[in-house]
Amino acid sequence: MTAGAPERTDRRGRGRSGAGRAHGSLRRAEARAGLALITPTLIIVLVVVVVPILWTILLAFQDVRLLNLRRAGIFDPLTLDNVRAVLQSDDFVPSLLTTLAYSVFGTGLAILFGLVAALALRGAFRGRTFVRAAVLLPYVAPVVAVTFAWRTMLNPQFGVVNELGVEFFGWDAPVAFLSERSASVSILGLDISLPVALMTVIAFEAWRSFPFAFLFLTARLQAAPATLEEAARVDGATPTQRFRYIILPQLMPTIAVLAVLRFIWTFNSFDDIYLLTGGGAGTEVISVRVFNFLTARGDIGLASAQALVLAVILALLVGLYLRRFATREETSA
Amino acid sequence: MSDVTSRPLGRADTAGSRATTRSTTRRGYSRDTVETRLFRVLRWVVIATLLLVTLFPFYYMILLSVRSLDEVLRDPGTLIISPGELDLSTYAEVLRPGSEGGQGFLRFMANSAMVALGTVALTLLIALPGAYAVSRLRFFGHRQVSALFLSVYLFPSILLAVPLFVFFSRVGLRGELVGLLLVYVSQIVAVAIYMLRNYFDTIPVSLEEAAAIDGCGRLGIMWRISLPLAMPAIMANALFIFMIAWNEFLFALLFLIEDRDRWTVSLGLSQLSGSIEVPTTVLMAGSVIITLPIIIVFLATERLLVAGLTAGAEKG
């Protein structure tokens, strides 16, 4: 504050044009320094992210396999075979539907559980810090370790879930949660076929990522002004009404952002399903297919084409969502 | 509503708390009471369920790691272990190198630690100047640059996997920890810049201006003023990066699978859990060992991490 004063008088003394020139060269020096400081980041992102993405697009239209990789070059002839093979494959549509179901339900459940957890842990109580830390554990623990624990828990031979289910909940037989494609369950006389393995991986996804939603919703709740709720309480609004008309509208923007982020990440996710089921029993999502094309078949072109199709579909879905969301915002404003 | 049945309840309450001068109808008040009481109970049910659901898998992990395999197979439902049954030999076996009949987790941990620490150092080295520039300096595109980096983060990593696999195979970096390190840095640097920039934004510029007037150069300001002030954020970031690099699985699987000596903890555990020869209890000990560093790091820095991650979220 005090330091600024002499500078100002000095500048006024030197006259307008001189000050302008000095200011301009300062600006230029600043711009140069800024670019120099950001350059390392630009280079690594360009080399290890942007170029590979562009290269994937090229590879998707070339006939490249692991076997002829040594001879393959950037200027190999282009072909549509890979894209055609991907789109016409019998497994493509089921796999896409699996990916969609996995992402939609995984995202939805994660946000729902995150919201419930955030609301339950909102008021202070003894030990809240501990509960908060515990809730975040599934998100930070190594995915390989937690999938292994889940796989063991759900194991039909010696898993604790099946053991307890058979012993206490009267299950007829152990359920092969991760290797059974579908099982028919009769509820009120209706036979319903449930995709067991897919439901299990969705449950796992919700378990693992709800802490993320919890974290952001908690941060938003802390910023919500207490006066609004107090006023509503004085006016006689019940807890559900206060949630519906005061809290939820404030949370909506955060929920919308969470929905987009979680959907993108779940749509792309590979680790969880690969580690839980290996893509078997009706859980083969597209990213697992890409991996299998690359490693099991050694078909680089096909894998690239499949990855590209995944990215394009994702971009379309997110674009549609954002557009709808944007127009809705406009009309409501 | 069922105000007939709940009227006595509501009347008793109004009588009991005459001080509350609420201008509500009796009907609304009674619904309010019912709901308030319901949620007071439900809240504890939810908290108990949350604790059970989040902690149980970890408890089970520890439990199986200290039971012998025979015991587990004979009696899978046991959830409490008597001290006499405690069997810690699994930990020795999982850590011992393969040449001595163990599973070599010590080696995997050394690999993971090298990659993770290298990633932390390199990412911070690159992201700190970048974040400072984005927060403090006006240069062409300084507004767009972090959004651009973040958008890169939204691409499927499997999309990068194919060309990086090809590229590293050709230049001979596949199977090297250095290649993996480069990929990790590129994946994390955008988020690191985002988090650090948010912190730099909260440091008053006037401190830096004062240093400039005292004759400090741009680098001097960064080194002497901004860096020490940003230390909490830098620590949180370092630990966040460490966690991501330690947990990463896909690229380790793609690049390092052929050479067991280079496996990271994630890759080691996943590969060994696929084979039948290694007992589940031994691998559970392995899971505990690779999860522990993360949990320690997380608990030590939870507040910092949470604040860094969610900065800006409260604006909605």
Side-chain angles (χ1 to χ4, degrees):
Chain A
M1 300 297 132
T2 48
E7 194 186 39
R8 207 174 299 143
T9 50
D10 185 56
R11 199 180 279 170
R12 205 181 294 142
R14 259 195 286 155
R16 187 171 281 178
S17 65
R21 204 180 301 143
H23 194 63
S25 76
L26 259 179
R27 282 294 290 272
R28 246 173 286 135
E30 192 180 317
R32 229 179 296 132
L35 279 178
L37 291 176
I38 199 85
T39 302
T41 314
L42 279 177
I43 289 175
I44 194 153
V45 170
L46 202 69
V47 171
V48 195
V49 180
V50 177
V51 170
I53 288 175
L54 296 177
W55 198 3
T56 311
I57 300 175
L58 187 67
L59 283 171
F61 296 101
Q62 290 178 334
D63 180 25
V64 193
R65 282 158 205 279
L66 271 189
L67 294 174
N68 63 14
L69 186 61
R70 292 251 161 252
R71 283 178 282 112
I74 297 176
F75 301 108
D76 279 359
L78 299 177
T79 163
L80 278 175
D81 288 352
N82 294 322
V83 180
R84 204 174 296 140
V86 164
L87 294 178
Q88 288 174 351
S89 156
D90 289 338
D91 301 330
F92 173 65
V93 174
S95 163
L96 180 63
L97 291 178
T98 306
T99 313
L100 277 174
Y102 176 64
S103 332
V104 170
F105 289 113
T107 304
L109 286 178
I111 294 178
L112 182 71
F113 294 160
L115 181 63
V116 171
L119 290 172
L121 298 186
R122 196 177 176 208
F125 59 90
R126 255 178 104 88
R128 186 173 67 163
T129 323
F130 169 76
V131 179
R132 267 196 188 157
V135 164
L136 292 175
L137 279 186
Y139 190 66
V140 296
V143 62
V144 181
V146 289
T147 47
F148 183 60
W150 268 64
R151 257 166 52 205
T152 314
M153 269 163 51
L154 299 174
N155 187 300
Q157 275 94 46
F158 56 88
V160 67
V161 173
N162 273 310
E163 181 69 18
L164 294 179
V166 171
E167 204 168 324
F168 295 108
F169 301 117
W171 296 356
D172 301 334
V175 181
F177 284 100
L178 292 167
S179 51
E180 203 163 306
R181 183 179 288 269
S182 66
S184 52
V185 180
S186 59
I187 301 167
L188 304 171
L190 280 170
D191 278 328
I192 303 169
S193 170
L194 293 174
V196 178
L198 184 60
M199 282 166 64
T200 310
V201 292
I202 288 172
F204 176 82
E205 169 64 27
W207 177 80
R208 197 169 131 70
S209 56
F210 91 88
F212 185 81
F214 162 76
L215 206 61
F216 278 77
L217 291 171
T218 299
R220 185 66 190 83
L221 275 177
Q222 278 168 351
T227 45
L228 271 181
E229 270 179 85
E230 205 45 53
R233 195 202 301 267
V234 169
D235 285 345
T238 67
T240 42
Q241 288 169 333
R242 292 203 297 270
F243 171 73
R244 172 67 188 83
Y245 296 105
I246 308 289
I247 301 175
L248 196 60
Q250 295 187 70
L251 291 181
M252 260 348 255
T254 308
I255 291 178
V257 171
L258 276 173
V260 178
L261 279 181
R262 285 292 352 147
F263 184 83
I264 292 174
W265 287 334
T266 318
F267 200 82
N268 293 333
S269 96
F270 164 84
D271 299 356
D272 311 40
I273 287 193
Y274 179 80
L275 287 165
L276 281 174
T277 66
T283 60
E284 193 184 41
V285 291
I286 293 187
S287 55
V288 172
R289 267 168 80 81
V290 175
F291 181 82
N292 287 338
F293 285 152
L294 181 65
T295 54
R297 287 211 215 170
D299 196 334
I300 293 171
L302 198 61
S304 304
Q306 180 70 80
L308 196 62
V309 168
L310 174 77
V312 169
I313 292 172
L314 179 64
L316 284 177
L317 289 174
V318 172
L320 272 178
Y321 176 86
L322 289 181
R323 229 173 111 187
R324 256 195 91 173
F325 191 68
T327 49
R328 204 191 303 156
E329 287 280 277
E330 264 166 39
T331 49
S332 70
Chain B
M1 279 237 51
S2 57
D3 59 340
V4 181
T5 50
S6 55
R7 183 166 292 159
L9 189 93
R11 190 176 291 158
D13 254 50
T14 37
S17 56
R18 258 186 305 132
T20 53
T21 50
R22 287 178 190 157
S23 60
T24 53
T25 62
R26 177 165 298 163
R27 188 207 208 125
Y29 189 81
S30 64
R31 178 179 159 188
D32 191 68
T33 314
V34 171
E35 275 189 16
T36 308
R37 289 192 177 170
L38 179 70
F39 283 118
R40 198 176 298 152
V41 176
L42 262 184
R43 178 158 170 257
W44 290 106
V45 174
V46 167
I47 290 172
T49 315
L50 274 177
L51 278 178
L52 182 72
V53 166
T54 51
L55 290 183
F56 183 75
F58 297 98
Y59 174 70
Y60 188 65
M61 211 188 257
I62 297 170
L63 181 78
L64 281 208
S65 75
V66 295
R67 292 183 76 193
S68 68
L69 189 63
D70 298 337
E71 290 286 328
V72 173
L73 291 178
R74 187 149 18 99
D75 188 6
T78 304
L79 289 178
I80 297 160
I81 184 170
S82 60
E85 219 191 314
L86 212 68
D87 178 8
L88 292 173
S89 63
T90 47
Y91 284 88
E93 185 185 340
V94 82
L95 287 174
R96 229 178 296 141
S99 54
E100 293 166 32
Q103 305 302 334
F105 260 59
L106 218 49
R107 172 90 222 186
F108 303 157
M109 286 175 77
N111 288 338
S112 275
M114 268 195 297
V115 175
L117 292 176
T119 309
V120 170
L122 197 57
T123 309
L124 284 182
L125 197 69
I126 293 174
L128 270 173
Y132 180 82
V134 173
S135 167
R136 284 288 189 268
L137 307 174
R138 276 160 299 168
F139 57 92
F140 179 70
H142 74 107
R143 272 180 223 284
Q144 294 79 15
V145 87
S146 54
L148 194 77
F149 288 154
L150 280 181
S151 69
V152 158
Y153 189 62
L154 300 177
F155 274 93
S157 46
I158 197 90
L159 191 73
L160 299 174
V162 183
L164 287 175
F165 183 83
V166 174
F167 176 69
F168 283 151
S169 301
R170 289 193 76 157
V171 298
L173 271 181
R174 187 154 71 87
E176 297 292 330
L177 295 178
V178 178
L180 200 62
L181 196 143
L182 277 180
V183 177
Y184 288 177
V185 172
S186 72
Q187 293 278 298
I188 299 170
V189 77
V191 190
I193 286 193
Y194 174 79
M195 284 169 67
L196 287 171
R197 190 207 59 185
N198 280 340
Y199 196 84
F200 276 128
D201 283 349
T202 63
I203 302 175
V205 193
S206 53
L207 287 170
E208 292 175 22
E209 285 172 352
I213 283 159
D214 288 346
C216 212
R218 175 75 64 199
L219 282 175
I221 294 176
M222 279 178 66
W223 186 249
R224 297 217 179 105
I225 310 288
S226 315
L227 222 54
L229 283 174
M231 225 42 202
I234 295 173
M235 281 308 292
N237 230 279
L239 294 160
F240 178 67
I241 297 166
F242 181 88
M243 274 162 49
I244 293 186
W246 180 274
N247 290 351
E248 204 280 340
F249 173 65
L250 170 60
F251 287 108
L253 174 67
L254 273 174
F255 295 164
L256 303 177
I257 194 162
E258 281 147 25
D259 187 358
R260 187 173 169 152
D261 281 341
R262 294 232 161 81
W263 283 359
T264 59
V265 281
S266 290
L267 185 56
L269 180 60
S270 75
Q271 290 309 107
L272 295 178
S273 68
S275 70
I276 320 160
E277 301 103 71
V278 191
T280 305
T281 50
V282 171
L283 288 176
M284 276 301 173
S287 304
V288 172
I289 288 174
I290 75 169
T291 310
L292 261 184
I294 294 301
I295 291 190
I296 291 170
V297 162
F298 169 70
L299 290 182
T301 59
E302 192 215 337
R303 204 159 294 178
L304 278 175
L305 269 181
V306 168
L309 267 175
T310 55
E314 62 270 14
K315 284 175 221 141

